[in-house]
Amino acid sequence: MTARDPKSLITIARASGEAAETEPLDLGARVRELRKARDWTLEHAANQAGLARSTLSKIENGQMSPTYEALKKLAVGLQISVPQLFTQPQRDQVNGRLTVTKTGQGSAHATTTYEHELLADSLTRKQMLPYRARVRARSMDEFEGWVRHDGEEFLYVLTGVVRLYTEFYEPIEMRRGDSAYYDAAMGHNVISLSDEDATILWVTSLS
């Protein structure tokens, strides 16, 4: 991991928070709970997910471990993300947390390719890492390979023009107001095409 890797920012964001203790998750019970919350029969849920009824029944009863492809189908059918299949539901737990970061008061972390400003830095154990970045890089040659890290990521262009490079897609030119949401484990880098450094908002999931 180099100083250019946002994974270092994720480490910083997590460093001040204690590790959350979670109970082991019963995937079958979780899938059954999600299905019943929608008032779906086993057959209807299986049809929605594009799985055989017997397959879904075995998953719910812990008689088989689903492949990643089956998990993706389940998530699509239930209209949730794959990580949500493994997340314990939180009921009646409104913690009322709030923090405000005034302009220019974020925590600065400069690198050779970006100038990061961490937002909501006072909150510990966040589920998301929001930060504003000034894009210095003008060429992919300025990066030491792809940036990769856990989670999903949202990018929103605030000023200027950037080019988003990803491991599996053609480069995408993005202007003010454009946004992208992608799997952060996929290699990705951003360069500025503007005469002046572009600025973007990045939000990375931490859970």
Side-chain angles (χ1 to χ4, degrees):
M1 180 182 68
T2 69
R4 302 179 179 86
D5 192 335
K7 189 172 182 179
S8 61
L9 300 181
I10 294 175
T11 302
I12 291 169
R14 286 173 171 159
S16 57
E18 298 177 358
E21 294 184 3
T22 58
E23 298 178 2
L25 180 74
D26 183 334
L27 177 61
R30 174 66 170 147
V31 171
R32 186 185 304 110
E33 180 181 37
L34 289 166
R35 173 175 65 80
K36 290 188 175 181
R38 289 156 176 76
D39 198 25
W40 288 356
T41 64
L42 194 64
E43 185 170 1
H44 180 73
N47 288 337
Q48 289 290 109
L51 296 171
R53 182 184 183 282
S54 58
T55 298
L56 182 55
S57 177
K58 288 178 181 178
I59 292 173
E60 288 193 1
N61 290 298
Q63 296 173 351
M64 70 173 291
S65 297
T67 64
Y68 183 67
E69 286 302 316
L71 288 174
K72 286 198 297 183
K73 289 181 178 181
L74 271 174
V76 170
L78 292 167
Q79 298 179 333
I80 60 174
S81 66
V82 171
Q84 285 178 285
L85 287 172
F86 299 92
T87 303
Q88 292 282 6
Q90 302 294 317
R91 296 189 181 89
D92 303 324
Q93 294 185 11
V94 179
N95 57 37
R97 297 202 304 169
L98 171 68
T99 187
V100 175
T101 306
K102 296 290 187 177
T103 300
Q105 294 183 3
S107 177
H109 296 271
T111 72
T112 57
T113 50
Y114 304 113
E115 282 186 16
H116 297 299
E117 181 188 5
L118 271 64
L119 309 175
D121 198 36
S122 62
L123 287 182
T124 62
R125 295 172 60 178
K126 294 188 288 289
Q127 300 300 308
M128 299 179 292
L129 172 62
Y131 54 103
R132 182 165 38 233
R134 176 180 160 195
V135 185
R136 290 176 165 177
R138 293 299 194 281
S139 167
M140 281 285 285
D141 295 336
E142 298 179 50
F143 296 90
E144 297 178 5
W146 292 113
V147 169
R148 294 187 182 88
H149 51 87
D150 294 338
E152 296 182 323
E153 199 156 70
F154 175 76
L155 180 159
Y156 184 92
V157 183
L158 298 171
T159 66
V161 183
V162 302
R163 180 170 290 146
L164 171 63
Y165 288 88
T166 56
E167 191 172 8
F168 305 133
Y169 299 90
E170 291 296 319
I172 304 168
E173 184 173 307
M174 302 175 64
R175 298 176 178 272
R176 179 179 178 181
D178 292 344
S179 63
Y181 188 106
Y182 50 89
D183 175 8
M186 172 178 62
H188 57 280
N189 290 318
V190 177
I191 68 168
S192 177
L193 301 179
S194 310
D195 291 335
E196 297 183 355
D197 294 342
T199 57
I200 60 179
L201 173 68
W202 253 318
V203 182
T204 303
S205 64
L206 291 174
S207 56

